[in-house]
Amino acid sequence: MSTKRKIELVGKKISFVEAEDEDLIFWAEKPVGERMKEMTEWNKKIWITINGNYPEVIEKDGGKIIKSDTDEDDF
């Protein structure tokens, strides 16, 4: 016995390429601030998954790189 569903099935099948295109369009329409916020949240989740915690302060580590006198193609 067939009965009519109370809730219609809604969906569509799309290819992986089409899904990627829709994803790019979705994020391109978002403001830059919202995209950055989401990327920061994603970064925190990944960091916590790998490291167990997320540092409140990330220290900057770097210095000036000096071109050596012997290698002309260093930079």
Side-chain angles (χ1 to χ4, degrees), residues 40 44 47-48 51 53-59:
T40 303
K44 285 181 183 179
W47 191 284
I48 290 169
N51 210 26
N53 64 352
Y54 185 78
E56 292 299 319
V57 177
I58 299 175
E59 294 181 19

Side-chain angles (χ1 to χ4, degrees), residues 33-44:
E34 188 173 339
R35 286 186 278 176
M36 290 300 294
K37 180 180 173 237
E38 290 298 325
M39 284 303 298
T40 303
E41 290 299 316
W42 179 81
N43 189 21
K44 285 181 183 179

